[in-house]
Amino acid sequence: MLWDLLTLTGQLFLLMWLATALFWGLAGAAAAAALGRPAWQGLLLGAALPGIGPVVLLVVDVVRRGGAAGVRARPAAPWRVRGAREAAVALAVLGAVAVVVVTGLRDTRLAVVTGEVSFTVRDLGLTTATGATVLVLLGAAVLAWRRPSRIAAVAVAWCASWWLLWAAGALLVGDTLRVLADSTGLADALDAAVEVGTSWWLLLGVAVALLAWSTGLVVTGARGRVPEPLTPGLPRPGLPLPRAGVDPFADPFAPRTPFAAPDPSAGPADPFAGPGPRPGSGGW
């Protein structure tokens, strides 16, 4: 019995670490993409150093740019694949509906000799969490309509990590309680039964799907973006220089003409020759 309790404590601790690492990994990836860094750097730092990884990225970026004045958040890349925006919005709305439906299933059962009691997920003190998750998902759908929003991705990942923790924790605790009751004979003595409903498995699946949705938003927003220069005022790599950057005296709005090489057969140009006919040319 003591070993079962110690095993349950270790499993719950690992579960809490997993949920924390998943959220902070996604938050670090979003911060890295906003700072112009590869998303995988923020993912590794956020998962390895929960709560500290994004701060480390920000401090390093400030040092590289010589102060906080040069640090600017990069906007996420727009939707490039046709139908991706509509799919992201639809999945967010469907996620909100799924959370409401799954948390309302009355399939968690506690049976004793005096009777049977059935519970829903919301009956266990998660009504406020359900309402907050629905509002976050609807707000994320609105933000994702314009472009892959990193704020929406981090907010949804926050809610999904909590649901992952609660669902997996309930499944672990329910299995442990059932094993303890059977091994100690308590179930026969009290004629009791504990049954964890399917709603917790469905809730676990919804949490994983919401984490995948957040990951897809962060990855999509980081694609196709040209990195900013470290020194303000320089053109971004891969973009041509403006005309004024090549010739400071040229009109920046004038159309560009191909450069023509001088004719070697012509004589040297006369710097004193005007636009009219010259003396001796028959023009007098």
Side-chain angles (χ1 to χ4, degrees), residues 233-260:
L234 292 180
R236 291 187 291 180
L239 298 181
L241 287 171
R243 184 175 178 84
V246 179
D247 185 2
F249 302 102
D251 184 7
F253 300 100
R256 296 189 180 185
T257 57
F259 176 76

Side-chain angles (χ1 to χ4, degrees), residues 20 85 108 124 169 212 238 263:
T20 304
R85 175 177 61 181
T108 300
L124 301 178
D263 187 4

Side-chain angles (χ1 to χ4, degrees), residues 76-174:
W79 295 106
R80 297 183 178 273
V81 180
R82 178 176 298 180
R85 175 177 61 181
E86 291 78 5
V89 173
L91 288 176
V93 175
L94 288 177
V97 175
V99 169
V100 173
V101 173
V102 170
T103 55
L105 297 178
R106 192 175 295 275
D107 56 358
T108 300
R109 187 173 62 91
L110 176 62
V112 293
V113 66
T114 57
E116 179 178 312
V117 182
S118 298
F119 301 96
T120 65
V121 174
R122 292 198 293 265
D123 291 337
L124 301 178
L126 297 177
T127 303
T128 303
T130 301
T133 303
V134 170
L135 292 178
V136 168
L137 286 171
L138 295 180
V142 174
L143 292 176
W145 177 255
R146 182 182 178 187
R147 62 176 64 238
S149 173
R150 301 187 185 103
I151 297 177
V154 173
V156 172
W158 170 261
C159 297
S161 61
W162 278 109
W163 285 116
L164 176 68
L165 176 62
W166 290 327
L171 293 171
L172 288 176
V173 171

Side-chain angles (χ1 to χ4, degrees), residues 264-280:
S265 61
D270 186 2
F272 302 101
R278 291 176 294 175

Side-chain angles (χ1 to χ4, degrees), residues 190-228:
L190 298 179
D191 194 13
V194 179
E195 180 180 351
V196 180
T198 313
S199 59
W200 294 100
W201 286 104
L202 296 176
L203 190 60
L204 182 63
V206 171
V208 173
L210 293 180
L211 287 172
W213 185 88
S214 300
T215 304
L217 234 66
V218 172
V219 172
T220 304
R223 287 179 177 176
R225 176 185 47 78
V226 179
E228 294 285 344

Side-chain angles (χ1 to χ4, degrees), residues 169-186:
L171 293 171
L172 288 176
V173 171
D175 290 340
T176 304
L177 289 178
R178 185 164 50 249
V179 171
L180 287 176
D182 294 338
S183 61
T184 57
L186 186 62

